[in-house]
Amino acid sequence: MIVLVGFMGSGKSSVGRALADRLGWDFADTDTLVEQREGCPVAEIFRRSSEKRFRELEREVLRSLEGRSNLVVAAGGGLYAAAGNRRRLRRLATTVWLDVLPEIARRRVGEGASRPLWEADPHGFRELFERRRATYALADVRVDASPGIDVVVESILGSLPPAEG
Ligand code: S3P
């Protein structure tokens, strides 16, 4: 299993889908799996319940992927920030950090679908970005996610350990 981690707007879902295509593997997105489980969008889970509830669901979804192989997963931006999730992933997967410049992440998030954390505190972006970087840096592999999707996919394929490649 390969799990893509990184900040909102780093391209985990689009790169993940393209990578899965290249490998002939399945693709899953933890935000989508949470939404399917709850029957409502992520933003609504934040609004109607809490971020804490969302994090529980995220943990459950990750647990449900245990034992899967030939799978590329796009992890929600906060999933890898939890030490328990990192421990689980160390056993289950090769983790790949899509490292992107803050300006690029900001632009992509600004254009995309709604992100509750971003909307709650657009000015806290930089601080959250810096704090998260320290945990993403614990991933097995780091790739520069600033270029286009195909380039990023190639650099992931070129950096994977032999067992996944
Ligand atoms: C979050 C990132 C989002 C989503 C939720 C919280 C975060 O996923 O899981 O809004 O804490 O960074 P993306 O990284 O796919 O936008």
Side-chain angles (χ1 to χ4, degrees):
M1 192 192 311
I2 296 173
V3 176
L4 305 183
V5 303
F7 207 71
M8 296 174 257
S10 58
K12 291 164 298 197
S13 302
S14 34
V15 168
R17 236 174 257 119
L19 177 64
D21 265 5
R22 266 299 292 275
L23 292 167
W25 289 11
D26 293 331
F27 170 75
D29 182 315
T30 61
D31 286 342
T32 308
L33 294 175
V34 165
E35 289 178 340
Q36 284 167 355
R37 204 168 262 237
E38 278 304 274
C40 74
V42 167
E44 208 168 313
I45 301 171
F46 271 71
R47 208 167 38 238
R48 286 215 304 230
S49 303
S50 58
E51 177 172 355
K52 183 160 172 278
R53 174 68 187 140
F54 173 74
R55 299 300 172 199
E56 279 167 18
L57 290 163
E58 211 171 35
R59 238 184 348 262
E60 282 171 23
V61 156
L62 181 59
R63 244 181 267 140
S64 76
L65 297 176
E66 188 124 4
R68 294 281 300 270
S69 55
N70 295 353
L71 177 69
V72 177
V73 178
L79 184 144
Y80 200 65
N85 290 342
R86 286 201 298 277
R87 266 197 302 279
R88 186 172 296 271
L89 282 173
R90 208 163 301 132
R91 275 192 300 109
L92 295 184
T94 298
T95 46
V96 178
W97 171 26
L98 300 194
D99 187 12
V100 77
L101 293 169
E103 298 72 35
I104 295 179
R106 187 193 288 269
R107 177 159 41 78
R108 289 182 186 163
V109 171
E111 288 162 358
S114 90
R115 257 88 166 195
L117 281 186
W118 164 260
E119 282 171 9
D121 186 10
H123 303 296
F125 177 89
R126 194 68 193 221
E127 195 202 313
L128 183 63
F129 189 91
E130 293 305 332
R131 202 160 7 106
R132 289 278 179 79
R133 267 186 78 86
T135 56
Y136 300 144
L138 301 169
D140 299 314
V141 172
R142 174 198 162 276
V143 296
D144 177 7
S146 303
I149 295 173
D150 293 346
V151 176
V152 179
V153 167
E154 287 310 317
S155 56
I156 294 174
L157 290 170
S159 330
L160 288 176
E164 297 280 22

